[in-house]
């Protein structure tokens, strides 16, 4: 029988913090395999965001830990995320969308008091039109947010909650406690 791998205390506390936070009901988290070549220790979560029973966004949050530190990280822990969601075509065409998407992340970190440094990333907006055998459905558009940052300490509960806020914003969920109004049809519409 193989002996269990002993994890550094910093990494174990960081993982415990990620596991301790409960997201809002529309966000389902699950532990998934983490990339093994990026750092000596890694942990990963995948998220699915549902609205009215439909999947509207997905994401992945990866915790990396290198006890020796990493100059580019400015620390020994690093959080890396990837979030993607489908958008309405008119939103995807908005030239301000990347700046707004980035603000969703920075505002979420600030609102949850998730202290960080060395934040960097990209926001990509895509619009796809289908042709040939794929023709039929309307054009599709997506937003994709990729980012990484170094938490100031190893209590990552606030960072997980901030990440869940980012997922909710990207998916277009209303703030907690607010009920979205149903789309209504004009009188006489079929």
């Amino acid at each position: 029988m193989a002996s269990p791998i002993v994890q550094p205390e910093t990494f174990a506390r960081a993982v415990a913090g990620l596991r301790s936070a409960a997201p809002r009901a529309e966000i389902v988290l699950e532990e998934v395999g983490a990339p093994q070549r990026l750092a000596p220790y890694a942990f990963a979560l995948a998220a699915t965001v549902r609205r009215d029973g439909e999947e509207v966004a997905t994401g992945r949050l990866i915790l990396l830990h290198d006890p020796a530190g990493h100059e580019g990280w400015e620390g020994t822990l690093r959080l890396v995320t990837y979030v993607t969601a489908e958008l309405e075509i008119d939103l995807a065409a908005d030239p301000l969308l990347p700046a707004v998407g980035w603000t969703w992340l920075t505002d979420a970190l600030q609102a949850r008091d998730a202290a960080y440094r060395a934040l960097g990333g990209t926001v990509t907006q895509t619009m796809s039109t289908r042709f040939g055998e794929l023709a039929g459905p309307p054009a599709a558009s997506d937003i994709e947010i990729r980012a990484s940052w170094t938490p100031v300490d190893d209590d990552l509960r606030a960072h997980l909650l901030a990440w869940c806020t980012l997922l909710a914003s990207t998916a277009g969920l209303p703030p907690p406690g607010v009920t979205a109004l149903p789309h209504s049809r004009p009188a006489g519409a079929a």
Side-chain angles (χ1 to χ4, degrees), residues 23-186:
R24 56 192 285 179
E26 300 95 336
I27 301 173
V28 177
L29 300 179
E30 70 175 303
E31 292 181 23
V32 294
Q36 298 302 308
R37 295 182 185 196
L38 301 176
Y41 301 92
F43 174 80
L45 292 169
T48 302
V49 183
R50 297 195 173 280
R51 184 178 57 225
D52 301 326
E54 303 250 342
E55 183 179 298
V56 293
T58 60
R60 192 168 293 248
L61 182 68
I62 302 167
L63 167 64
L64 303 173
H65 176 57
D66 187 341
H70 193 285
E71 185 178 333
W73 297 357
E74 298 179 27
T76 62
L77 294 171
R78 189 77 173 164
L79 288 167
V80 180
T81 189
Y82 168 80
V83 173
T84 186
E86 279 193 40
L87 295 174
E88 296 176 16
I89 293 293
D90 57 333
L91 278 175
D94 188 333
L96 297 176
L97 179 64
V100 170
W102 190 252
T103 300
W104 290 336
L105 172 60
T106 58
D107 286 354
L109 289 166
Q110 182 178 5
R112 296 295 185 161
D113 293 324
Y116 64 88
R117 62 178 161 261
L119 174 66
T122 62
V123 178
T124 305
Q125 62 197 98
T126 61
M127 292 182 16
S128 302
T129 304
R130 296 174 175 99
F131 296 96
E133 295 295 318
L134 297 177
S141 57
D142 294 25
I143 184 171
E144 175 184 286
I145 300 170
R146 293 179 183 260
S148 64
W149 64 95
T150 299
V152 171
D153 61 36
D154 59 12
D155 181 0
L156 299 188
R157 185 176 192 283
H159 291 269
L160 180 74
L161 293 172
W163 182 62
C164 288
T165 300
L166 169 64
L167 285 161
S169 297
T170 305
L173 297 180
V178 174
T179 303
L181 296 174
H183 288 88
S184 60
R185 295 182 185 167

Side-chain angles (χ1 to χ4, degrees), residues 10-25:
T10 297
F11 181 71
R13 274 195 308 270
V15 170
L18 292 175
R19 288 177 171 156
S20 72
R24 56 192 285 179

